[in-house]
């Protein structure tokens, strides 16, 4: 008892949480900040070498971060400047492999090698081979090689190597501002040019060429600068935007799942993993690292969360929404900043040219803006509905594609598609109306300017050149405002996409992943009780699956749970794994409430679960078994495989334990898959073993081999056997018949037969069915 004192944490309840549906600016800044900072540092560090290109060699290496160690390879044989990213280097180098790989790395002669450990979203080790100013990240992941004991070892490829050295560019903000200011200058110069033209139209004296040459040259230079600045800030913005998007995708992904060699992968999680990894880190899917194709991950959110969400919806957040947010961000910065600066600059020029005309503009503009904002808020709402509909339709489509054999056109996706189309069309009409109206307004403004400006020229209060400048500047104002109006729609879409992306990042699971007390193995007996447990699934609160359910699993004994399908047997297993917490009553392990125990310890070391449908990952047999225990040695894997009757068939494969099993284990037979799942459960030497219809999907021959393995695995453990076929549970120490969400009757096979109750009835019915089903006794 002393092992677990004072850990009576207030039991967490699995209640649905109110989700924050507003854009999370704080989180957004967290993603943006590192890139902005990197770029800030870039100006300080990189601008001098840009100005004096000669001393730029190895600039990034001269000030290595404190955590870097540096080694310099033999003198350069690769010509300076030809060094590019080396694709061949992007392999996985573990710490141990580092030494062996020196020759390979050294073949890049003239490179300096950085080893750095850098904390990040996915802690892992990074080795950077820095070549001149190009840095190559050769590290990627090495969690497997190190066999770290911590569950959090990051397996997602680490942050890109380029981030290690600051970028060589000044921030896009400055470039965008520069471009905008140049744009403000241009109308004024154009006005002056028109003045000269006008002068020569009147007087026909002197040399027009001589007088206009300087001005024209000035204008040409400005046009050139403007083009360059535009290119610069757009390129940079895409640099920041892409990085931010990758970070966001990774963070969102890790808020759904957690990378580690652990246990308890949800279906939605596994699918999302593949999508996210493909999207966020395309390099992972290269054939050179097949073992990363389906990285092991554990659900980070509550299982209840995944019950309620469709994979398609989650994948859509990871892909479409992040994409949408990123493009909006880029557009807002590039167009928005430029338009705003131009607007402000031109308004200043305008007021200098003609205060009266400017006043007119100033009255017209806020009025238009007001109307625009009103329309915009309507559009925002529509856009949100539209995106929700798209996600919903994607969810249906994803599910249909995933189960295409079963689905066979339920016309469900058609309905969702239809609604989706209606909403999108409505949104399109709204945006069209908005833009049509803005066009009319802007054209009226031009006409008004010409009309009033013309009368001012006629009254000699304004020169023709000034009116030209004014017109060009007001055209710029018009363009900027048109841009802003288009941008507004994008901002609306971007914000709602961002809201959806950030929403899950702030969610924390009701059942924590870890934390609470652990019981040392030598003190663990494995006695489990369910005391007056009632339970309904969080996504179906009104429907009680278990009602006042009481059950004891004595240590080292086999208890069988039988009953009709849908009676709640799997639910009992889920409660024992603490995928959910009971609505009432308690589940205890050795007398301790499960809610006070460390869930990761419970699932990772105490409870082994073997279900009807084994879930395998598209990696090697070795890794699939090792998935049950973080950092297990090869010997442990072999031992578990032997115990599970799997060693023999594995060693008969040409590649043995290194055989890749295909996506979800498609290249194996049902019985083989199940034996791998058993080996995976046994490798952690669980105290409590749950067998949920473990043999019911198998043919008679496979069942025999698997059953043999199960019988061997059951010895000395507390076992809960859930079975549909009663022949498999005769030997159990105790049989519990479930009905109506509670224990209907209990006893040994003989006792229950003698009693003549529900169990006897079930046996009789199965015996009647026997001639029809060859698998029945
Ligand atoms: P059994 O294993 O005895 O066939 P289950 O425990 O799987 O039955 O299911 C018991 C009841 O709980 C069923 O009515 C089923 O519809 C419902 N149920 C099972 N899983 C979930 C879930 N994730 N969310 C909501 N209801 C569920
Ligand atoms: Mg079941």
């Amino acid at each position: 008892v002393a092992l677990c004192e004072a850990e009576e944490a207030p039991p967490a309840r699995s209640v649905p949480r109110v989700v924050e549906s507003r854009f999370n600016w704080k989180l957004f800044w967290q993603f943006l900040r590192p890139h902005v900072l990197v770029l800030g540092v870039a100006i300080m560090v990189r601008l001098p070498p840009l100005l004096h290109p000669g001393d730029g060699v190895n600039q990034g290496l001269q000030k290595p971060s404190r955590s870097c160690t540096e080694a310099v390879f033999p003198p350069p044989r690769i010509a300076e400047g030809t060094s590019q990213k080396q694709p061949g280097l992007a392999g996985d180098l573990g710490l141990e492999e580092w030494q062996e790989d020196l020759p390979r790395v050294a073949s890049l002669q003239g490179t300096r090698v950085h080893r750095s450990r850098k904390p990040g979203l996915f802690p892992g080790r990074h080795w950077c081979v820095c070549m001149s100013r190009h840095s190559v990240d050769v590290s990627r992941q090495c969690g497997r090689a190190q066999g770290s004991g911590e569950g959090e070892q990051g397996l997602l490829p680490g942050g890109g190597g380029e981030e290690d050295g600051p970028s060589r560019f000044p921030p896009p903000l400055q470039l965008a501002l520069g471009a905008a200011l140049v744009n403000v200058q241009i109308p004024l110069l154009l006005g002056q040019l028109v003045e000269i033209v006008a002068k020569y139209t009147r007087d026909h004296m002197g040399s027009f060429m001589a007088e206009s040459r300087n001005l024209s040259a000035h204008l040409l230079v400005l046009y050139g600068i403007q083009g360059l600045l535009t290119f610069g800030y757009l390129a940079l913005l895409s640099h920041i935007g892409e990085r931010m998007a990758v970070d966001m995708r990774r963070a969102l992904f890790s808020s759904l799942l957690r990378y580690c060699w652990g246990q308890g992968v949800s279906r939605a999680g596994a699918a999302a993993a593949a999508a996210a990894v493909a999207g966020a880190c395309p390099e992972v899917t290269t054939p050179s690292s097949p073992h990363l194709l389906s990285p092991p991950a554990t659900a980070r959110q509550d299982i209840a969360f995944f019950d309620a969400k469709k994979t398609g919806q989650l994948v859509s957040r990871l892909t479409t929404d992040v994409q949408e947010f990123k493009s909006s961000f880029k557009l807002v910065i590039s167009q928005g900043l430029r338009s705003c600066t131009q607007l402000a600059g031109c308004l200043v020029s305008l007021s200098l040219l003609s205060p009266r005309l400017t006043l007119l503009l100033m009255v017209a503009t806020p009025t238009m803006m007001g109307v625009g904002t009103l329309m915009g808020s309507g559009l925002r709402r529509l856009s949100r509905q539209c995106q929700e509909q798209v996600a919903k339709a994607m969810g249906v489509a994803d599910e249909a594609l995933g189960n295409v054999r079963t689905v066979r056109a339920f016309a469900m996706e058609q309905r969702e598609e239809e609604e989706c189309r209606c909403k999108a069309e409505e949104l399109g009409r709204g945006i069209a109306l908005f833009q049509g109206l803005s066009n009319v307004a802007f054209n009226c403004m031009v006409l008004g300017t010409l009309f009033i400006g013309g009368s001012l020229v006629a009254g000699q209060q304004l020169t023709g050149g000034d009116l030209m400048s004014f017109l060009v500047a007001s055209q710029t104002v018009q363009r900027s405002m048109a841009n802003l109006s288009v941008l507004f729609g994008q901002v609306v879409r971007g914000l709602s996409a961002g809201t959806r992306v950030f929403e899950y990042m702030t969610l924390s699971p009701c059942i924590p992943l870890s934390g609470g007390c652990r019981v040392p193995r030598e003190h663990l007996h494995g006695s489990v009780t369910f005391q007056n447990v009632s339970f309904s699934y969080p996504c179906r609160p009104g429907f009680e699956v278990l009602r006042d359910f009481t059950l004891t699993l004595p240590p080292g004994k086999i208890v069988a749970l039988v009953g009709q399908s849908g009676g709640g047997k799997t639910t009992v297993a889920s409660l024992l794994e603490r995928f959910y917490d009971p609505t009432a009553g308690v589940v205890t392990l050795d007398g301790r409430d499960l809610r006070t125990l460390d869930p990761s310890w419970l699932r990772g070391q105490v409870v082994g679960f073997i279900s009807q449908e084994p879930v395998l990952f598209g990696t090697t047999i070795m890794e699939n078994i090792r998935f049950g225990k973080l950092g297990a040695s090869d010997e442990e894997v072999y031992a578990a495989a032997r115990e599970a009757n799997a060693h023999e068939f594995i060693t008969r494969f040409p590649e043995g334990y290194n055989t890749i099993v295909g996506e979800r284990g498609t290249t194996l037979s049902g019985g083989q898959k199940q034996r791998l799942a058993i080996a995976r459960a046994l490798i952690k030497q669980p105290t409590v073993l749950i067998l949920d219809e473990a043999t019911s999907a198998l043919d008679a021959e496979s069942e025999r081999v698997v059953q043999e393995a199960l019988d061997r695995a059951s010895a000395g453990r507390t076992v809960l056997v859930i079975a549909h076929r009663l022949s498999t549970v005769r030997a159990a120490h105790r049989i519990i018949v479930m009905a109506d969400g509670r224990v209907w009757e209990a006893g040994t096979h003989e006792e229950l037969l003698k009693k003549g109750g529900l169990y006897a009835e079930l046996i009789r019915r199965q015996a009647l069915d026997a001639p029809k089903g060859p698998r029945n006794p």
Side-chain angles (χ1 to χ4, degrees), residues 408-544:
R408 290 268 137 140
F410 264 114
M412 187 68 179
E413 59 272 39
Q414 266 172 22
R415 210 188 61 213
E416 300 287 357
E417 283 268 288
E418 192 59 27
E419 272 182 41
C420 191
R421 187 186 57 77
C422 289
K423 282 266 182 296
E425 274 183 12
E426 205 178 323
L427 179 67
R429 274 198 299 275
I431 292 177
L433 181 68
F434 188 81
Q435 292 198 10
L437 283 180
S438 1
N439 275 350
V440 171
F442 292 135
N443 287 331
C444 286
M445 267 168 65
V446 175
L447 192 63
T449 312
L450 263 183
F451 193 74
I452 299 171
S455 62
L456 288 178
V457 173
Q460 306 226 320
Q461 288 170 301
L462 199 68
T463 66
D466 284 349
L467 182 57
M468 179 63 196
S469 293
F470 197 96
L471 257 187
V472 176
S474 64
Q475 283 283 318
T476 309
V477 169
Q478 179 192 344
R479 251 204 327 266
S480 306
M481 289 187 66
N483 267 346
L484 285 178
S485 82
V486 175
L487 213 58
F488 194 73
Q490 192 64 39
V491 170
V492 169
R493 277 200 294 274
L495 282 184
S496 58
T499 305
R500 287 153 52 83
V501 172
F502 291 140
E503 186 181 317
Y504 290 162
M505 291 187 197
T506 46
L507 281 187
S508 52
C510 289
I511 300 175
L513 284 174
S514 55
C517 59
R518 299 173 171 215
V519 183
R521 193 169 280 276
E522 61 273 19
H523 295 280
L524 193 65
H525 304 294
S527 124
V528 175
T529 59
F530 285 70
Q531 286 167 16
N532 308 98
V533 167
S534 295
F535 178 72
S536 45
Y537 281 97
C539 64
R540 217 181 279 162
F543 177 68
E544 276 210 321

Side-chain angles (χ1 to χ4, degrees), residues 318-400:
L318 279 165
T319 52
T320 326
D321 286 338
V322 172
Q323 198 73 11
E324 178 86 42
F325 182 73
K326 179 196 68 188
S327 354
S328 306
F329 166 77
K330 278 158 67 170
L331 217 69
V332 167
I333 298 284
S334 62
Q335 307 278 332
L337 203 73
R338 205 174 84 161
S339 301
C340 287
T341 319
Q342 268 171 208
L343 201 63
C346 284
L347 281 176
V348 171
S349 318
L350 288 177
S351 58
L352 290 178
L353 286 168
S354 167
R356 219 187 294 179
L357 272 181
T358 312
L359 205 68
L360 187 85
L361 268 179
M362 298 282 273
V363 174
T365 315
T367 320
M368 279 167 37
M369 285 301 226
V371 176
T373 312
L374 272 183
M375 285 184 76
S377 67
L379 288 177
R380 182 169 25 207
R381 202 179 44 247
L382 251 180
S383 160
R384 208 171 28 238
Q385 289 170 358
C386 197
Q387 276 178 32
E388 274 160 17
Q389 198 59 43
V390 169
K392 219 159 130 192
M394 264 189 76
V396 172
D398 180 81
E399 206 165 43

